[in-house]
Amino acid sequence: MKVYTKTGDTGTTSLFGGTRVAKNHIRIESYGTVDELNSYIGLIRDQNMNVLYKNILIEIQDRLFTVGAILATPPEKEKLKNGQPRLQKLGIIESDIELLEKEIDTMEESLPQMTHFVLPGGHTTVSYCHIARCVCRRAERLAVHLHEIDPTDEMVIKYLNRLSDYLFVLARKLSFDLNAEEVKWIPRK
């Protein structure tokens, strides 16, 4: 199979199920941003860190492929001609969100309580987490926008929301583990 098909040379692409849309369609922006997020998470995973974090990040990357598949499927193509769900074995489920919450709670147990916002930075790995968090928030906003236009699985929005929280806490935990300075944001008076 060739990587290039030439079918997108005029600015359109195919959604899951074959529907062709413009490459700047909100659905493409949504799952394209999830793909960007997945790449940043791969960059975080490539850093020197606890193997537990790496394993959770692999799980997250797998879930993000599921999120991308859901976002790439327009509602009219969610079922096959025989009525069976196209993404029958795929889906974001409550236990995916519970995993993120459990990891957040575990990491927070060893962290000092937050009293201020923190400025992103302090260590390259921490900065990558903050970049991924911001991309995750953008993916969430785009998924919400798409959902307003063309309803999609609400678990996608919930998962992206919780994932951005996880990435924030991971940044804090890595700052702690790496003895990186966590700079508080204190507004000028």
Side-chain angles (χ1 to χ4, degrees):
M1 181 173 117
K2 289 186 176 188
V3 171
Y4 61 90
T5 62
K6 301 182 182 181
T7 58
D9 290 351
T10 59
T12 64
T13 191
S14 289
L15 297 173
F16 202 54
T19 304
R20 292 202 66 82
V21 296
K23 288 187 177 185
N24 64 351
H25 188 280
I26 184 63
R27 191 169 289 283
I28 306 302
E29 288 289 339
S30 294
Y31 75 75
T33 303
V34 168
D35 186 36
E36 180 184 354
L37 170 61
N38 207 336
S39 297
Y40 275 112
I41 289 176
L43 182 62
I44 297 166
R45 189 170 52 84
D46 288 342
Q47 305 306 301
N48 186 18
M49 69 175 70
N50 182 312
V51 71
L52 170 68
Y53 304 153
K54 288 181 182 255
N55 289 336
I56 296 297
L57 291 170
I58 288 170
E59 181 74 19
I60 289 167
Q61 287 186 291
D62 183 83
R63 293 292 79 77
L64 288 176
F65 263 89
T66 299
V67 167
I70 292 167
L71 293 173
T73 306
E76 69 274 6
K77 299 292 183 172
E78 287 178 357
K79 294 192 187 253
L80 298 169
K81 290 180 182 173
N82 65 7
Q84 293 296 314
R86 183 177 296 278
L87 302 173
Q88 187 168 7
K89 298 198 189 274
L90 293 177
I92 298 299
I93 56 177
E94 199 61 44
S95 63
D96 297 323
I97 293 160
E98 290 168 357
L99 173 67
L100 295 175
E101 291 172 347
K102 178 181 134 305
E103 292 303 318
I104 289 168
D105 293 344
T106 299
M107 288 186 290
E108 284 189 323
E109 286 175 6
S110 64
L111 294 173
Q113 187 172 4
M114 273 189 62
T115 56
H116 295 81
F117 288 109
V118 294
L119 300 178
H123 189 280
T124 303
T125 306
V126 173
S127 295
Y128 291 151
C129 288
H130 283 293
I131 291 168
R133 173 185 55 80
C134 293
V135 174
C136 188
R137 287 289 188 203
R138 179 164 30 100
E140 179 187 8
R141 291 189 304 270
L142 288 166
V144 167
H145 184 192
L146 172 62
H147 184 69
E148 290 171 351
I149 296 167
D150 209 358
T152 189
D153 186 351
E154 291 179 3
M155 291 295 281
V156 164
I157 296 166
K158 188 174 181 179
Y159 185 79
L160 291 171
N161 184 37
R162 205 68 80 255
L163 178 56
S164 64
D165 296 335
Y166 169 83
L167 291 166
F168 176 75
V169 175
L170 180 62
R172 291 199 69 225
K173 182 66 169 99
L174 289 171
S175 288
F176 182 82
D177 292 352
L178 296 163
N179 292 317
E181 183 181 9
E182 193 172 72
V183 178
K184 295 176 182 175
W185 176 66
I186 301 171
R188 284 189 293 200
K189 294 185 184 200

